[in-house]
Amino acid sequence: MIELSGLSIRSPENPDGDIEIDIVGLRPGEKLYEELLIGNDPITTAHPRIMMANEAFLPWGKLSGRLEQLAVLLDRQDAAGVRALLVELVPEYVAGKLTDWVTSANRAGDSARVVPIKDERAKVQPAVRSTRKAAKRPLVS
């Protein structure tokens, strides 16, 4: 990329180079590789190094209703209901200890009262929206 930009690398062999590269190792949080398949049962494909995920999903007709239910639970600040719905919708989700900070703050007294902000413009939207028109033929054969 450096050379394609018309620049040169600064090194002991080329002390007048434009850009010096220092190898500093991994920074906190950086990974050497990305785990793309989360499930335990990937499906093999024609290429030995390409795998396909085999994960459960809900059709949009069922999922949209559950998302509307989730919005209602969130509006009610029903943390236990939200948690139960997430456990039901995402089988791989392992719920930890439930800490409901809003309810805890509201129980602490008026000085710590947390008041939810309602935005009437906010509506449940599809998770994926596309401006492209539907393909007339399959993209993958």
Side-chain angles (χ1 to χ4, degrees):
M1 295 288 293
I2 295 170
E3 292 172 357
L4 290 174
S5 299
L7 303 172
S8 61
I9 298 174
R10 184 180 308 149
S11 66
E13 298 82 24
N14 184 17
D16 295 326
D18 301 304
I19 298 176
E20 182 177 356
I21 298 176
D22 286 332
I23 308 297
V24 296
L26 290 177
R27 294 181 179 178
E30 284 186 308
K31 299 186 258 180
L32 290 175
Y33 63 92
E34 188 69 31
E35 195 69 38
L36 299 177
L37 288 175
I38 298 171
N40 294 330
D41 56 345
I43 300 169
T44 58
T45 63
H47 192 284
R49 296 187 64 187
I50 298 177
M51 307 296 278
M52 190 166 59
N54 183 22
E55 298 173 352
F57 72 96
L58 286 176
W60 177 247
K62 290 183 180 180
L63 180 60
S64 63
R66 304 305 274 174
L67 291 176
E68 289 174 10
Q69 182 182 3
L70 179 62
V72 169
L73 292 170
L74 290 169
D75 283 343
R76 290 184 194 158
Q77 297 181 9
D78 182 356
V82 168
R83 179 183 188 174
L85 184 58
L86 288 175
V87 167
E88 178 186 333
L89 290 175
V90 184
E92 298 84 11
Y93 174 65
V94 177
K97 180 184 176 208
L98 178 62
T99 304
D100 183 356
W101 294 108
V102 173
T103 302
S104 299
N106 287 340
R107 287 184 187 153
D110 289 340
S111 62
R113 185 125 180 102
V114 176
V115 179
I117 298 173
K118 294 257 183 188
D119 183 356
E120 297 302 322
R121 298 170 299 174
K123 303 283 185 211
V124 175
Q125 297 293 324
V128 177
R129 292 190 306 186
S130 175
T131 57
R132 295 185 299 168
K133 294 182 179 178
K136 298 195 187 248
R137 59 182 173 77
L139 298 176
V140 179
S141 56

